[in-house]
Amino acid sequence: MTNKRLLTLAAGAAALAFSASGAMAQDSCGSVSMAEFDWPSGELLANVDKIILEEGYGCDVQLVNGGTTTIFASMNEKGEPEVAGELWINAVRDLLEKGIDEGELKIVNDGPITGLGEGWWVTPKFAEEHPDLDTVEKLLEHPELFPYAEDESKGAFIGCPAGWGCQLINANMYRAFDMEEKGWELVDPGSAAGLDGSMAKAAERGEPWFGYYWAPTAMIGKYEMVLLPFEVDYAGDENWNGCIALAEQDCEDPQKTAWTKSEVRTVVTDEFAEKAGPAQDYLSKRIFPGEIMNKMLVYMQDEQASGEDAAYYFLENHEDIWTEWVSDEVVSKVKEEL
């Protein structure tokens, strides 16, 4: 951080008074601890929040690094950190609902990032050349369009490496959609690098690729991969949690289903909600478009940028987005820092 930024931060934390909207009881949100989740979008989002909350609202923000379960456990049991900007709630849903019911936690944003989730993707050139195959079910009738290198009589579907939770899901989905009978081979990419490499190789050569991935990620943003929708609806938690997500031997009869919805929330502690004033209003309004988030992750990967560096890049290059989240007064204060 530059000296100018340090001086501005200190001055802002000491002197800022909020505009007299009359809606908020506090003049400053004071000291705040925020989760900096240990994946690129989590690092970026946390640092954008930090800059805007400090420069625009006079907060003093400390970032707490960690993963979903460890951060949430600390937040739920100790009230630290006070803000989780990008909490993927499927892994902690029951405890989160309990914390909300007991008044300890509060959801202030139902979707801080759009266009996220898991599923089955194809390369953009394939999608452009085959607009008629625009659903999973339609594509599954054409394994000949994705020849498997080791047996070209079969179509290759690229699943997850061994040990990943999605490996079990893909294997059971493979059975549910009768993919073997349709002429498909479920291919284990061997590792994360193998999965990324297979996608990158196909996308850069303009070859067809069909397989599992998730967003927001640099890979989806860099290669502009296309997510295929399912024609079937989500078949329910009993089928998903009680079969699809389990080992094959524990899932005798998997049913066809769309992917379970990935849900991300911004969650704060009750203590933060009481003191934050307009800073909480900011958290409720800031939504990163999925396409922009993917491009930012490509930037972070290509430039080896830290979350803080990427946050300044975002604020400097996507003013049209973040200025919609805050007042003109806050815009002026943040732009003085850039």
Side-chain angles (χ1 to χ4, degrees):
M1 181 178 289
T2 65
N3 289 335
K4 176 191 174 188
R5 287 172 183 165
L6 286 169
L7 290 170
T8 305
L9 184 156
L16 181 68
F18 292 115
S19 61
S21 63
M24 302 301 173
Q26 300 291 328
D27 289 337
S28 171
C29 68
S31 178
V32 181
S33 57
M34 298 186 65
E36 183 182 23
F37 288 111
D38 54 4
W39 53 82
S41 63
E43 295 172 2
L44 170 62
L45 190 148
N47 280 278
V48 169
D49 286 346
K50 183 176 191 295
I51 294 168
I52 290 179
L53 290 177
E54 290 190 331
E55 306 308 330
Y57 297 94
C59 305
D60 180 13
V61 178
Q62 294 80 47
L63 297 181
V64 180
N65 185 264
T68 300
T69 54
T70 53
I71 286 285
F72 182 77
S74 178
M75 188 177 190
N76 191 38
E77 295 170 9
K78 303 176 183 176
E80 295 286 342
E82 297 168 283
V83 179
E86 186 189 331
L87 183 66
W88 292 68
I89 68 170
N90 285 354
V92 297
R93 185 182 299 276
D94 291 345
L95 289 173
L96 174 61
E97 291 177 351
K98 184 173 182 290
I100 292 172
D101 290 343
E102 294 175 350
E104 300 295 330
L105 300 172
K106 180 180 180 181
I107 293 174
V108 296
N109 191 320
D110 285 330
I113 306 172
T114 66
L116 48 76
E118 301 170 88
W120 292 353
W121 307 70
V122 294
T123 38
K125 184 177 180 182
F126 177 86
E128 181 180 352
E129 293 177 345
H130 299 277
D132 53 321
L133 304 181
D134 58 356
T135 68
V136 166
E137 284 84 347
K138 291 176 184 176
L139 188 144
L140 291 184
E141 299 302 319
H142 295 280
E144 75 280 4
L145 298 177
F146 300 85
Y148 179 37
E150 297 185 14
D151 182 355
E152 293 192 354
S153 68
K154 297 181 179 179
F157 172 77
I158 313 300
C160 290
W164 290 20
C166 54
Q167 182 199 31
L168 306 179
I169 294 170
N170 280 308
N172 288 321
M173 296 273 277
Y174 180 82
R175 290 193 295 134
F177 283 92
D178 301 319
M179 290 176 65
E180 183 174 1
E181 290 76 4
K182 288 181 168 67
W184 292 90
E185 181 75 18
L186 176 56
V187 179
D188 181 345
S191 65
L195 176 60
D196 289 359
S198 69
M199 179 193 292
K201 179 180 177 182
E204 291 172 359
R205 293 182 177 181
E207 297 173 349
W209 186 93
F210 177 43
Y212 166 87
Y213 218 82
W214 69 98
T217 52
M219 291 295 291
I220 295 299
K222 182 174 184 177
Y223 295 112
E224 300 180 341
M225 299 295 288
V226 177
L227 177 66
L228 286 180
F230 289 83
E231 294 179 20
V232 296
D233 294 328
Y234 178 63
D237 292 347
E238 183 176 351
N239 177 59
W240 189 270
N241 298 325
C243 190
I244 293 289
L246 304 180
E248 186 173 341
Q249 63 269 22
D250 298 322
C251 180
E252 294 184 358
D253 187 24
Q255 301 300 303
K256 294 179 181 178
T257 178
W259 272 82
T260 185
K261 184 179 179 181
S262 296
E263 297 181 80
V264 173
R265 304 284 186 266
T266 294
V267 177
V268 304
T269 62
D270 182 60
E271 182 177 349
F272 174 83
E274 291 180 355
K275 74 180 183 181
Q280 179 172 285
D281 187 49
Y282 155 73
L283 291 173
S284 71
K285 291 179 179 177
R286 61 103 171 79
I287 298 174
F288 290 77
E291 182 180 1
I292 299 300
M293 178 59 82
N294 283 325
K295 289 181 179 178
M296 285 301 308
L297 300 183
V298 174
Y299 169 80
M300 293 177 72
Q301 182 182 67
D302 289 348
E303 302 298 327
Q304 294 295 296
S306 68
E308 183 184 25
D309 290 340
Y312 279 106
Y313 180 88
F314 170 80
L315 294 170
E316 291 166 351
N317 291 275
H318 295 287
E319 184 177 313
D320 58 319
I321 296 174
W322 68 266
T323 55
E324 295 294 318
W325 304 339
V326 297
S327 67
D328 291 343
E329 179 185 4
V330 171
V331 169
S332 297
K333 291 175 179 175
V334 174
K335 288 177 72 172
E336 287 178 4
E337 170 64 10
L338 302 181

